[in-house]
Amino acid sequence: MPATDLSAKPVEEIASQLPAMSIEEVFAMMRQLEIASEEADVAGRDQVLSRIALVEEEIERRFPGQVLAPYRDWKKNDPLLQI
């Protein structure tokens, strides 16, 4: 997935792209959005959080009943996050 400012991407566009993404792409998008939320000012944080909610819903759809456990496992095992 190319590095883009996901917080500026229209919500409808993100929602339409999510079902076609691989789980790795979905998890990478979630990670990018988490980082963006940490760096955003108060006004921008709401925009980012709405996109995070979309990605959370997609993860829940793919892993029913597991909440975000698969994503948390992915983060623990991602060598790039171990630095």
Side-chain angles (χ1 to χ4, degrees):
M1 184 170 68
T4 60
D5 184 6
L6 294 170
S7 62
K9 193 177 242 188
V11 173
E12 298 81 16
E13 187 177 331
I14 292 173
S16 69
Q17 292 174 344
L18 280 170
M21 292 178 154
S22 72
I23 196 59
E24 286 289 323
E25 291 171 320
V26 172
F27 288 166
M29 178 180 277
M30 177 64 96
R31 184 66 187 132
Q32 285 180 330
L33 288 167
E34 281 182 340
I35 292 167
S37 75
E38 294 165 2
E39 297 171 350
D41 58 13
V42 174
R45 193 165 294 127
D46 286 341
Q47 198 172 355
V48 175
L49 292 176
S50 66
R51 285 149 179 81
I52 287 175
L54 279 175
V55 179
E56 286 177 348
E57 288 174 10
E58 180 65 20
I59 294 170
E60 175 63 22
R61 186 185 69 75
R62 294 182 188 206
F63 300 96
Q66 297 183 45
V67 192
L68 291 176
Y71 172 66
R72 287 190 301 271
D73 290 344
W74 174 83
K75 278 182 27 177
K76 283 194 286 189
N77 296 318
D78 187 342
L80 296 176
L81 297 175
Q82 304 303 316
I83 297 172

Coordinates of all heavy atoms in Angstrom, one line a residue:
M1 N 0.8 -1.2 0.0 CA 0.0 0.0 0.0 C 0.9 1.2 0.0 O 1.8 1.3 0.8 CB -0.9 0.0 1.2 CG -1.9 1.1 1.3 SD -3.1 0.9 2.6 CE -2.1 1.1 4.0
P2 N 0.7 2.2 -0.9 CA 1.5 3.3 -1.0 C 1.3 4.2 0.3 O 0.3 4.3 0.8 CB 1.1 4.1 -2.2 CG -0.3 3.5 -2.6 CD -0.4 2.2 -1.9
A3 N 2.4 4.9 0.6 CA 2.3 5.8 1.8 C 1.6 7.0 1.4 O 2.1 7.8 0.6 CB 3.7 6.1 2.3
T4 N 0.4 7.2 1.8 CA -0.4 8.4 1.6 C -1.0 8.9 2.9 O -1.0 8.2 3.9 CB -1.6 8.0 0.6 OG1 -2.4 7.0 1.2 CG2 -1.1 7.5 -0.7
D5 N -1.5 10.1 2.8 CA -2.1 10.6 4.0 C -3.5 10.1 4.1 O -4.4 10.7 3.5 CB -2.1 12.2 4.0 CG -2.6 12.8 5.2 OD1 -2.9 12.1 6.2 OD2 -2.8 14.0 5.3
L6 N -3.7 9.0 4.9 CA -5.0 8.4 5.0 C -6.0 9.3 5.7 O -7.2 9.1 5.5 CB -4.8 7.1 5.7 CG -4.0 6.0 4.9 CD1 -3.8 4.8 5.9 CD2 -4.8 5.6 3.7
S7 N -5.5 10.2 6.5 CA -6.4 11.0 7.3 C -7.1 12.0 6.4 O -8.1 12.6 6.7 CB -5.7 11.7 8.4 OG -4.7 12.6 7.9
A8 N -6.5 12.3 5.2 CA -7.1 13.2 4.2 C -7.9 12.5 3.1 O -8.7 13.1 2.4 CB -6.0 14.0 3.6
K9 N -7.8 11.2 3.1 CA -8.5 10.4 2.0 C -10.0 10.4 2.4 O -10.3 10.1 3.6 CB -7.9 9.0 2.0 CG -8.4 8.2 0.8 CD -7.7 6.9 0.8 CE -6.8 6.8 -0.5 NZ -6.3 5.5 -0.7
P10 N -10.9 10.6 1.5 CA -12.3 10.5 1.8 C -12.7 9.2 2.4 O -12.3 8.1 2.0 CB -13.0 10.7 0.4 CG -12.0 11.4 -0.4 CD -10.6 10.9 0.1
V11 N -13.6 9.3 3.4 CA -14.0 8.1 4.2 C -14.7 7.1 3.2 O -14.4 5.9 3.3 CB -15.0 8.5 5.3 CG1 -15.6 7.3 5.9 CG2 -14.3 9.3 6.3
E12 N -15.5 7.6 2.3 CA -16.1 6.7 1.3 C -15.1 5.9 0.5 O -15.4 4.7 0.2 CB -17.1 7.5 0.4 CG -18.2 8.2 1.1 CD -17.7 9.6 1.7 OE1 -16.6 10.1 1.4 OE2 -18.5 10.0 2.6
E13 N -14.0 6.6 0.1 CA -13.0 5.9 -0.7 C -12.3 4.8 0.1 O -12.1 3.7 -0.4 CB -12.0 6.9 -1.2 CG -11.0 6.4 -2.2 CD -10.0 7.4 -2.7 OE1 -10.4 8.6 -2.7 OE2 -8.9 7.1 -3.0
I14 N -12.0 5.1 1.3 CA -11.4 4.1 2.2 C -12.4 2.9 2.4 O -12.0 1.7 2.2 CB -11.0 4.7 3.6 CG1 -9.9 5.7 3.4 CG2 -10.6 3.6 4.6 CD1 -9.6 6.5 4.6
A15 N -13.6 3.2 2.7 CA -14.6 2.1 2.9 C -14.8 1.3 1.6 O -14.9 0.0 1.8 CB -16.0 2.8 3.2
S16 N -14.7 1.8 0.5 CA -14.9 1.0 -0.8 C -13.6 0.2 -1.1 O -13.7 -0.8 -1.7 CB -15.2 1.9 -2.0 OG -14.1 2.7 -2.3
Q17 N -12.5 0.6 -0.6 CA -11.2 -0.1 -0.9 C -11.0 -1.3 0.1 O -10.3 -2.2 -0.3 CB -10.0 0.8 -0.9 CG -10.0 1.8 -2.0 CD -8.9 2.8 -1.9 OE1 -8.3 3.0 -0.8 NE2 -8.7 3.5 -3.0
L18 N -11.4 -1.1 1.3 CA -11.1 -2.1 2.4 C -11.5 -3.5 2.0 O -10.6 -4.4 2.2 CB -11.8 -1.7 3.7 CG -11.1 -0.6 4.5 CD1 -12.0 -0.2 5.6 CD2 -9.8 -1.1 5.0
P19 N -12.7 -3.9 1.5 CA -13.0 -5.3 1.2 C -12.0 -5.9 0.2 O -11.8 -7.2 0.3 CB -14.4 -5.2 0.6 CG -15.0 -3.9 1.1 CD -13.8 -3.0 1.2
A20 N -11.4 -5.2 -0.7 CA -10.5 -5.8 -1.7 C -9.1 -5.9 -1.2 O -8.2 -6.5 -1.8 CB -10.5 -4.9 -2.9
M21 N -8.8 -5.3 0.0 CA -7.4 -5.3 0.5 C -7.1 -6.7 1.2 O -7.9 -7.3 1.7 CB -7.2 -4.2 1.5 CG -7.3 -2.8 1.0 SD -7.1 -1.7 2.3 CE -6.4 -0.3 1.5
S22 N -5.8 -7.0 1.1 CA -5.3 -8.2 1.8 C -5.3 -7.8 3.3 O -5.3 -6.7 3.7 CB -3.9 -8.6 1.4 OG -3.0 -7.6 1.9
I23 N -5.3 -8.8 4.2 CA -5.3 -8.6 5.6 C -4.0 -7.8 6.0 O -4.0 -6.9 6.9 CB -5.5 -9.9 6.4 CG1 -5.8 -9.5 7.9 CG2 -4.3 -10.7 6.4 CD1 -7.1 -8.7 8.0
E24 N -2.9 -8.1 5.3 CA -1.7 -7.3 5.6 C -1.9 -5.8 5.3 O -1.4 -5.0 6.0 CB -0.5 -7.9 4.8 CG 0.0 -9.2 5.3 CD 0.8 -9.1 6.6 OE1 1.5 -8.0 6.8 OE2 0.7 -10.0 7.4
E25 N -2.5 -5.5 4.2 CA -2.8 -4.2 3.8 C -3.7 -3.5 4.8 O -3.5 -2.3 5.2 CB -3.4 -4.1 2.4 CG -2.4 -4.4 1.3 CD -3.1 -4.6 0.0 OE1 -4.2 -5.1 -0.1 OE2 -2.5 -4.1 -1.0
V26 N -4.7 -4.2 5.3 CA -5.7 -3.7 6.3 C -4.9 -3.4 7.6 O -5.1 -2.3 8.2 CB -6.8 -4.6 6.5 CG1 -7.7 -4.2 7.7 CG2 -7.7 -4.8 5.3
F27 N -4.1 -4.3 8.0 CA -3.3 -4.1 9.2 C -2.3 -2.9 9.1 O -2.2 -2.1 10.0 CB -2.6 -5.3 9.6 CG -3.4 -6.5 10.2 CD1 -2.9 -7.7 10.3 CD2 -4.7 -6.2 10.6 CE1 -3.7 -8.8 10.8 CE2 -5.5 -7.3 11.1 CZ -5.0 -8.5 11.2
A28 N -1.7 -2.8 7.9 CA -0.8 -1.7 7.7 C -1.5 -0.4 7.7 O -1.0 0.6 8.2 CB 0.0 -1.9 6.4
M29 N -2.7 -0.4 7.1 CA -3.5 0.8 7.1 C -3.9 1.2 8.6 O -3.8 2.4 9.0 CB -4.8 0.7 6.3 CG -5.7 1.9 6.4 SD -7.2 1.7 5.4 CE -6.6 2.1 3.8
M30 N -4.3 0.2 9.4 CA -4.6 0.5 10.8 C -3.4 1.1 11.5 O -3.5 2.1 12.2 CB -5.0 -0.7 11.5 CG -5.3 -0.5 13.0 SD -6.7 0.6 13.3 CE -8.0 -0.6 13.5
R31 N -2.2 0.6 11.2 CA -1.0 1.1 11.9 C -0.7 2.5 11.5 O -0.4 3.4 12.3 CB 0.2 0.2 11.6 CG 1.4 0.6 12.3 CD 1.3 0.4 13.8 NE 2.5 1.0 14.4 CZ 2.4 1.8 15.5 NH1 1.3 2.1 16.0 NH2 3.5 2.3 16.0
Q32 N -0.9 2.8 10.2 CA -0.7 4.2 9.7 C -1.6 5.1 10.3 O -1.3 6.3 10.7 CB -0.8 4.2 8.2 CG 0.3 3.7 7.4 CD 0.0 3.8 5.9 OE1 -1.1 3.8 5.4 NE2 1.1 3.9 5.1
L33 N -2.9 4.7 10.5 CA -3.9 5.6 11.1 C -3.6 5.8 12.6 O -3.8 6.8 13.1 CB -5.3 5.0 10.9 CG -5.8 5.1 9.5 CD1 -7.0 4.2 9.2 CD2 -6.1 6.6 9.1
E34 N -3.1 4.7 13.3 CA -2.7 4.9 14.7 C -1.6 5.9 14.8 O -1.7 6.8 15.7 CB -2.2 3.6 15.2 CG -3.3 2.6 15.6 CD -2.7 1.3 16.2 OE1 -1.5 1.0 16.0 OE2 -3.5 0.6 16.9
I35 N -0.7 5.9 14.0 CA 0.4 6.8 14.0 C -0.1 8.2 13.7 O 0.2 9.2 14.4 CB 1.5 6.4 13.0 CG1 2.2 5.2 13.5 CG2 2.5 7.6 12.8 CD1 3.1 4.5 12.5
A36 N -1.0 8.3 12.7 CA -1.5 9.6 12.4 C -2.4 10.2 13.6 O -2.3 11.4 13.8 CB -2.4 9.5 11.1
S37 N -3.1 9.3 14.3 CA -3.9 9.8 15.4 C -3.0 10.3 16.5 O -3.3 11.3 17.2 CB -4.8 8.7 15.9 OG -4.1 7.8 16.7
E38 N -1.8 9.7 16.7 CA -0.9 10.2 17.7 C -0.3 11.5 17.4 O 0.1 12.3 18.3 CB 0.2 9.1 18.0 CG -0.3 7.8 18.5 CD 0.7 6.7 18.4 OE1 1.8 6.9 17.9 OE2 0.3 5.6 18.8
E39 N -0.1 11.8 16.1 CA 0.5 13.0 15.6 C -0.4 14.1 15.3 O 0.0 15.3 15.2 CB 1.4 12.7 14.4 CG 2.5 11.7 14.6 CD 3.2 11.3 13.3 OE1 2.7 11.6 12.2 OE2 4.2 10.6 13.5
A40 N -1.7 13.8 15.3 CA -2.7 14.8 14.9 C -3.0 15.8 16.0 O -3.0 15.4 17.2 CB -4.0 14.1 14.4
D41 N -3.4 17.0 15.6 CA -3.9 17.9 16.6 C -5.3 17.5 17.0 O -5.9 16.6 16.4 CB -3.8 19.4 16.1 CG -4.6 19.6 14.8 OD1 -5.4 18.7 14.4 OD2 -4.5 20.7 14.2
V42 N -5.9 18.2 17.9 CA -7.3 17.8 18.4 C -8.3 17.8 17.3 O -9.1 16.9 17.1 CB -7.7 18.8 19.5 CG1 -9.1 18.5 19.9 CG2 -6.8 18.7 20.7
A43 N -8.3 18.8 16.4 CA -9.2 18.9 15.3 C -9.0 17.7 14.3 O -10.0 17.1 13.8 CB -9.1 20.2 14.6
G44 N -7.8 17.4 14.0 CA -7.5 16.4 13.0 C -7.7 15.0 13.6 O -8.0 14.0 12.8
R45 N -7.7 14.8 14.9 CA -7.8 13.5 15.5 C -9.2 12.9 15.3 O -9.3 11.7 15.0 CB -7.5 13.6 17.0 CG -7.4 12.2 17.7 CD -6.8 12.3 19.0 NE -5.4 12.8 18.9 CZ -4.9 13.8 19.7 NH1 -5.7 14.4 20.5 NH2 -3.7 14.2 19.6
D46 N -10.2 13.7 15.3 CA -11.6 13.2 15.0 C -11.7 12.6 13.6 O -12.3 11.6 13.4 CB -12.6 14.3 15.2 CG -12.9 14.6 16.6 OD1 -12.6 13.8 17.5 OD2 -13.4 15.7 16.9
Q47 N -11.0 13.3 12.7 CA -11.0 12.8 11.3 C -10.3 11.5 11.2 O -10.8 10.6 10.5 CB -10.3 13.9 10.4 CG -10.5 13.8 8.9 CD -9.9 14.9 8.2 OE1 -9.4 15.9 8.8 NE2 -10.0 14.9 6.9
V48 N -9.2 11.3 11.9 CA -8.4 10.1 11.9 C -9.2 9.0 12.6 O -9.3 7.8 12.1 CB -7.0 10.3 12.5 CG1 -6.3 8.9 12.6 CG2 -6.2 11.3 11.7
L49 N -9.8 9.3 13.7 CA -10.6 8.3 14.5 C -11.8 7.7 13.7 O -12.1 6.5 13.8 CB -11.0 8.9 15.8 CG -9.9 9.2 16.8 CD1 -10.5 9.8 18.0 CD2 -9.1 8.0 17.1
S50 N -12.4 8.5 12.8 CA -13.5 8.0 12.0 C -13.0 7.0 11.0 O -13.6 6.0 10.7 CB -14.2 9.1 11.3 OG -13.4 9.7 10.3
R51 N -11.8 7.2 10.5 CA -11.2 6.2 9.6 C -10.7 4.9 10.3 O -10.8 3.8 9.8 CB -10.0 6.9 8.8 CG -10.5 7.8 7.8 CD -9.6 9.0 7.6 NE -10.1 9.9 6.5 CZ -11.1 10.8 6.7 NH1 -11.6 11.0 7.9 NH2 -11.5 11.6 5.7
I52 N -10.2 5.1 11.6 CA -9.8 4.0 12.4 C -11.0 3.1 12.6 O -11.0 1.9 12.6 CB -9.2 4.4 13.7 CG1 -7.8 5.0 13.4 CG2 -9.1 3.3 14.7 CD1 -7.1 5.5 14.6
A53 N -12.2 3.7 12.9 CA -13.4 2.9 13.1 C -13.8 2.1 11.9 O -14.2 0.9 12.1 CB -14.6 3.9 13.5
L54 N -13.6 2.6 10.7 CA -13.9 1.9 9.5 C -13.0 0.6 9.4 O -13.4 -0.5 9.1 CB -13.6 2.7 8.3 CG -14.7 3.7 7.8 CD1 -14.2 4.5 6.7 CD2 -15.9 2.9 7.4
V55 N -11.7 0.8 9.7 CA -10.8 -0.3 9.6 C -11.0 -1.3 10.7 O -11.0 -2.5 10.5 CB -9.3 0.2 9.7 CG1 -8.3 -0.9 9.6 CG2 -9.0 1.2 8.5
E56 N -11.4 -0.8 11.9 CA -11.8 -1.8 13.0 C -12.9 -2.6 12.6 O -13.0 -3.8 12.8 CB -12.1 -1.0 14.2 CG -10.9 -0.4 15.0 CD -11.3 0.4 16.2 OE1 -12.5 0.7 16.3 OE2 -10.4 0.7 17.0
E57 N -13.9 -2.0 11.9 CA -15.1 -2.8 11.4 C -14.7 -3.8 10.4 O -15.2 -4.9 10.4 CB -16.1 -1.8 10.8 CG -16.8 -1.0 11.9 CD -17.7 0.1 11.2 OE1 -18.0 0.0 10.0 OE2 -18.2 1.0 12.0
E58 N -13.8 -3.5 9.5 CA -13.3 -4.5 8.5 C -12.6 -5.6 9.2 O -12.8 -6.8 8.8 CB -12.4 -3.8 7.5 CG -11.9 -4.7 6.4 CD -13.0 -5.3 5.5 OE1 -14.1 -4.7 5.4 OE2 -12.7 -6.3 4.9
I59 N -11.8 -5.3 10.2 CA -11.1 -6.4 10.9 C -12.1 -7.3 11.6 O -11.9 -8.5 11.6 CB -10.0 -5.8 11.9 CG1 -8.9 -5.1 11.1 CG2 -9.4 -6.9 12.8 CD1 -7.9 -4.3 11.9
E60 N -13.1 -6.7 12.3 CA -14.1 -7.5 13.0 C -14.9 -8.3 12.0 O -15.3 -9.5 12.3 CB -15.0 -6.5 13.7 CG -16.2 -7.2 14.4 CD -15.8 -8.3 15.5 OE1 -14.7 -8.2 16.0 OE2 -16.6 -9.1 15.7
R61 N -15.1 -7.8 10.8 CA -15.9 -8.6 9.8 C -15.0 -9.8 9.3 O -15.6 -10.9 9.1 CB -16.1 -7.7 8.5 CG -17.0 -8.4 7.5 CD -17.1 -7.5 6.2 NE -15.9 -7.4 5.4 CZ -15.4 -8.4 4.7 NH1 -15.9 -9.5 4.6 NH2 -14.2 -8.2 4.0
R62 N -13.7 -9.6 9.2 CA -12.9 -10.8 8.8 C -12.6 -11.7 9.9 O -12.3 -12.9 9.7 CB -11.6 -10.2 8.2 CG -11.8 -9.4 7.0 CD -10.5 -9.0 6.4 NE -10.7 -8.1 5.3 CZ -9.8 -7.9 4.3 NH1 -8.6 -8.5 4.3 NH2 -10.0 -7.0 3.3
F63 N -12.6 -11.2 11.2 CA -12.3 -12.1 12.3 C -13.4 -11.9 13.4 O -13.2 -11.3 14.4 CB -10.9 -11.7 12.9 CG -9.8 -11.8 12.0 CD1 -9.3 -10.7 11.3 CD2 -9.1 -13.0 11.8 CE1 -8.2 -10.9 10.4 CE2 -8.0 -13.2 11.0 CZ -7.6 -12.1 10.3
P64 N -14.6 -12.5 13.1 CA -15.7 -12.2 14.0 C -15.4 -12.7 15.4 O -14.8 -13.7 15.6 CB -16.8 -13.1 13.4 CG -16.4 -13.4 12.0 CD -14.9 -13.3 12.0
G65 N -15.8 -11.8 16.3 CA -15.7 -12.2 17.8 C -14.3 -12.0 18.3 O -14.1 -12.3 19.5
Q66 N -13.3 -11.7 17.5 CA -11.9 -11.6 18.0 C -11.5 -10.1 18.3 O -10.4 -9.9 18.7 CB -11.0 -12.2 17.0 CG -11.2 -13.7 16.8 CD -10.2 -14.3 15.9 OE1 -9.0 -14.1 16.0 NE2 -10.7 -15.1 14.9
V67 N -12.4 -9.2 18.1 CA -12.2 -7.8 18.3 C -10.9 -7.4 17.5 O -10.9 -7.6 16.3 CB -12.1 -7.4 19.8 CG1 -12.1 -5.9 20.0 CG2 -13.2 -8.0 20.6
L68 N -9.9 -6.9 18.1 CA -8.7 -6.6 17.4 C -7.5 -7.5 17.7 O -6.3 -7.2 17.5 CB -8.3 -5.1 17.7 CG -9.2 -4.1 17.2 CD1 -8.8 -2.7 17.6 CD2 -9.3 -4.1 15.7
A69 N -7.8 -8.7 18.3 CA -6.7 -9.6 18.7 C -5.8 -9.9 17.5 O -4.5 -9.9 17.6 CB -7.2 -10.9 19.3
P70 N -6.3 -10.2 16.3 CA -5.4 -10.5 15.2 C -4.5 -9.4 14.8 O -3.3 -9.6 14.5 CB -6.3 -10.8 14.0 CG -7.6 -11.3 14.7 CD -7.7 -10.4 15.9
Y71 N -5.0 -8.2 14.9 CA -4.2 -7.0 14.6 C -3.1 -6.8 15.7 O -1.9 -6.6 15.4 CB -5.0 -5.7 14.6 CG -4.2 -4.5 14.5 CD1 -3.4 -4.2 13.3 CD2 -4.2 -3.5 15.5 CE1 -2.7 -3.0 13.3 CE2 -3.5 -2.4 15.4 CZ -2.7 -2.1 14.3 OH -2.0 -1.0 14.2
R72 N -3.4 -7.0 17.0 CA -2.5 -6.9 18.1 C -1.4 -7.9 17.9 O -0.2 -7.7 18.1 CB -3.1 -7.0 19.4 CG -3.9 -5.7 19.8 CD -4.4 -5.7 21.2 NE -5.3 -6.8 21.5 CZ -6.6 -6.9 21.4 NH1 -7.2 -5.8 20.9 NH2 -7.3 -8.0 21.7
D73 N -1.8 -9.2 17.5 CA -0.8 -10.2 17.3 C 0.2 -9.8 16.1 O 1.4 -10.1 16.2 CB -1.5 -11.5 17.0 CG -2.2 -12.1 18.2 OD1 -1.9 -11.7 19.3 OD2 -3.0 -13.0 18.0
W74 N -0.4 -9.3 15.1 CA 0.4 -8.9 13.9 C 1.4 -7.8 14.4 O 2.6 -7.9 14.0 CB -0.6 -8.3 12.8 CG 0.1 -7.7 11.7 CD1 0.6 -8.4 10.6 CD2 0.4 -6.3 11.4 NE1 1.2 -7.5 9.7 CE2 1.1 -6.2 10.2 CE3 0.1 -5.1 12.2 CZ2 1.5 -5.0 9.7 CZ3 0.5 -3.9 11.6 CH2 1.2 -3.8 10.4
K75 N 1.0 -6.8 15.2 CA 1.9 -5.8 15.6 C 3.0 -6.4 16.5 O 4.2 -6.0 16.3 CB 1.1 -4.7 16.5 CG 0.5 -3.7 15.6 CD -0.2 -2.6 16.3 CE 0.2 -2.2 17.7 NZ -0.5 -1.1 18.3
K76 N 2.7 -7.4 17.3 CA 3.7 -8.0 18.2 C 4.8 -8.7 17.3 O 5.9 -8.8 17.7 CB 3.1 -9.0 19.2 CG 2.4 -8.3 20.3 CD 2.1 -9.3 21.4 CE 1.0 -10.2 21.0 NZ 0.4 -11.0 22.1
N77 N 4.3 -9.3 16.2 CA 5.2 -10.1 15.4 C 5.8 -9.4 14.2 O 6.6 -10.0 13.5 CB 4.4 -11.3 14.9 CG 4.0 -12.2 16.0 OD1 4.8 -12.5 16.9 ND2 2.8 -12.7 16.0
D78 N 5.5 -8.1 14.0 CA 6.0 -7.3 12.9 C 7.5 -6.9 13.2 O 7.7 -6.1 14.2 CB 5.1 -6.1 12.6 CG 5.6 -5.4 11.4 OD1 6.7 -5.6 10.9 OD2 4.7 -4.6 10.8
P79 N 8.5 -7.4 12.5 CA 9.8 -7.1 12.8 C 10.1 -5.6 12.7 O 11.0 -5.0 13.4 CB 10.7 -7.8 11.8 CG 9.7 -8.3 10.7 CD 8.4 -8.3 11.3
L80 N 9.4 -4.8 11.9 CA 9.6 -3.4 11.7 C 9.2 -2.7 13.0 O 9.7 -1.6 13.3 CB 8.9 -2.8 10.5 CG 9.3 -3.4 9.2 CD1 8.4 -2.8 8.1 CD2 10.8 -3.0 8.9
L81 N 8.3 -3.2 13.7 CA 7.8 -2.6 15.0 C 8.6 -3.0 16.2 O 8.4 -2.5 17.3 CB 6.3 -2.9 15.2 CG 5.4 -2.4 14.2 CD1 4.0 -2.9 14.5 CD2 5.4 -0.9 14.1
Q82 N 9.6 -3.9 16.0 CA 10.4 -4.4 17.1 C 11.6 -3.5 17.3 O 12.4 -3.7 18.2 CB 10.8 -5.8 16.9 CG 9.7 -6.8 16.6 CD 8.7 -6.8 17.8 OE1 9.1 -6.8 18.9 NE2 7.4 -6.8 17.5
I83 N 11.8 -2.5 16.5 CA 13.0 -1.7 16.5 C 13.0 -0.8 17.7 O 12.0 -0.3 18.1 CB 13.2 -0.9 15.2 CG1 13.4 -1.9 14.1 CG2 14.4 0.1 15.3 CD1 13.4 -1.3 12.7

